[in-house]
Amino acid sequence: MELKQSHSVRLNDGHLMPMLGFGTYAPDHTPKNKAGEATKVAIDVGFCHIDAAFFYQNEKEVGKAIREKIADGTVKKEDIFYTTKLWTTFFRPELVRPALERSLKKLQLDYVDLFIIHNPLAMKALEKCKDSGLTKSIGVSNFNRKLLELILNKPGLKYKPTCNQVECHPYLNQSKLLEFCKSKDIVLVAYSALASHRDPNWMDPDSPYLLEEPTLKSIAKKHNRSPGQVALHYQLQRGVVVLAKSFSEKRIKENFQVFDFELTPEDMQAIDGLNRNFRYAKLQLLVIDSSSMLSKPLGHCESAILSREGGWI
């Protein structure tokens, strides 16, 4: 991976991905227009990597925000790196392109920069979406090493995943997965990097508050930063693309101010030492076989089972 001065990382297909992204997920009770308003603030602040998904059900509002910031001259379309995700209800190959086209219609855009599988499922048709120009790059989300190997070892593989988006923060630093992804020229993208959304649908309310962690607070005080800024920069410094989500203008501005300081080796070692393999997001994973579709909760996607057929197919 090649880190550019523009704070971007070069993907294995040659395209550049900004290393700091703005997340647009919001709980069901949050008005959809809030995502659009926050996206405009994020673009004004300097975010150009927008991370979204069909599942979030707010792409119409996010797309409108992007088009408005293009129209007022704040950014050009080519400045924006937009990611959307394929939800599990569209796993059948003939449904993949229509799902992406549905997102593009809501966004009123001709293409996205990255189209990824939201959960570990077999999906050959993503390659066709790239060939057709509807997405520049393709990748995966919530894949562990074994699932990535199924794809990478698949006969006839045309494009390997450019990235793997997973939960990653100081309590779950994914060091082994990061090492493997780097060895295969796959970018690791961290979501729940601040573990601050506290959505009861996805998180146990008794989960620890990452940003109250004494080690982060101590390092933040030393650098005259916030614990959140330290947690974000920690990922950047280890070569991880990191997503920061907030609908607060103050927090959005703060989250973007993470490039102008450096953590010491001792800081990095101390944050590495916080790892406890603790997962905030309790994901629902669809387990597919040839005759039925079952849904079962998995506290750890590392124990996930791919489809009976297996692989990127």
Side-chain angles (χ1 to χ4, degrees):
M1 294 182 291
E2 178 186 343
L3 184 61
K4 308 293 283 187
Q5 290 184 349
S6 60
H7 308 305
S8 294
V9 64
R10 189 171 297 278
L11 301 175
N12 60 40
D13 62 2
H15 295 297
L16 290 175
M17 173 192 280
M19 290 197 70
L20 182 64
F22 179 72
T24 59
Y25 170 76
D28 291 340
H29 59 78
T30 303
K32 301 302 181 187
N33 66 326
K34 290 291 185 182
E37 294 170 6
T39 299
K40 287 193 286 186
V41 172
I43 293 174
D44 285 336
V45 165
F47 282 92
C48 55
H49 176 174
I50 309 298
D51 183 81
F54 166 84
F55 178 74
Y56 303 166
Q57 293 294 291
N58 56 19
E59 287 194 291
K60 180 179 179 181
E61 291 77 12
V62 171
K64 182 174 182 289
I66 292 172
R67 296 194 312 276
E68 287 181 4
K69 300 316 294 182
I70 292 173
D72 71 13
T74 302
V75 289
K76 299 177 181 178
K77 171 59 184 76
E78 55 267 29
D79 296 329
I80 296 293
F81 187 100
Y82 186 89
T83 298
T84 192
K85 307 179 188 75
L86 182 74
W87 188 239
T88 47
T89 48
F90 306 110
F91 74 95
R92 291 170 56 184
E94 65 270 22
L95 299 180
V96 177
R97 178 167 176 160
L100 177 53
E101 290 174 334
R102 187 178 297 109
S103 285
L104 289 171
K105 185 176 181 180
K106 290 180 180 179
L107 294 164
Q108 295 186 35
L109 298 176
D110 296 326
Y111 66 90
V112 298
D113 295 275
L114 178 63
F115 188 36
I116 64 179
I117 297 174
H118 210 141
N119 286 313
L121 287 174
M123 197 60 56
K124 183 176 183 178
L126 258 68
E127 293 185 330
K128 296 179 180 178
C129 290
K130 179 175 170 65
D131 284 336
S132 68
L134 296 180
T135 181
K136 288 186 175 181
S137 302
I138 56 176
V140 298
S141 181
N142 298 312
F143 274 53
N144 63 14
R145 174 173 177 162
K146 290 182 179 179
L147 300 180
L148 287 171
E149 286 176 335
L150 282 173
I151 295 174
L152 296 173
N153 296 328
K154 184 70 180 178
L157 178 70
K158 189 171 185 179
Y159 306 114
K160 68 179 182 180
T162 59
C163 66
N164 183 23
Q165 187 178 126
V166 297
E167 179 179 344
C168 186
H169 44 74
Y171 288 160
L172 179 70
N173 66 24
Q174 302 278 18
S175 58
K176 291 182 179 180
L177 183 60
L178 174 59
E179 181 180 0
F180 175 76
C181 286
K182 284 183 175 181
S183 75
K184 301 299 181 182
D185 199 15
I186 295 172
V187 171
L188 197 73
V189 181
Y191 70 76
S192 294
L194 301 178
S196 57
H197 60 80
R198 315 299 296 188
D199 184 345
N201 291 319
W202 298 95
M203 184 185 293
D204 187 330
D206 295 326
S207 297
Y209 284 83
L210 175 66
L211 300 186
E212 294 297 322
E213 167 58 47
T215 298
L216 289 181
K217 294 175 76 172
S218 174
I219 293 173
K221 183 177 181 180
K222 181 175 72 171
H223 292 277
N224 195 26
R225 298 286 170 163
S226 71
Q229 288 173 321
V230 170
L232 293 174
H233 189 88
Y234 165 72
Q235 302 292 3
L236 297 173
Q237 200 161 315
R238 62 206 291 256
V240 174
V241 172
V242 61
L243 305 177
K245 187 199 77 66
S246 176
F247 288 176
S248 158
E249 182 173 353
K250 178 184 176 182
R251 292 293 187 194
I252 292 171
K253 290 179 178 179
E254 180 182 289
N255 289 343
F256 193 74
Q257 296 168 352
V258 293
F259 293 107
D260 58 349
F261 71 101
E262 194 80 4
L263 297 174
T264 67
E266 292 76 21
D267 294 335
M268 294 294 289
Q269 184 176 7
I271 299 173
D272 282 338
L274 296 176
N275 183 63
R276 58 179 80 171
N277 293 322
F278 179 81
R279 218 171 263 283
Y280 283 98
K282 308 301 181 183
L283 299 178
Q284 294 280 336
L285 178 66
L286 292 179
V287 181
I288 308 299
D289 65 25
S290 58
S291 60
S292 65
M293 184 163 64
L294 306 175
S295 177
K296 68 177 183 179
L298 287 176
H300 299 274
C301 268
E302 274 67 11
S303 61
I305 301 174
L306 197 61
S307 69
R308 179 175 295 174
E309 292 80 3
W312 197 229
I313 68 174

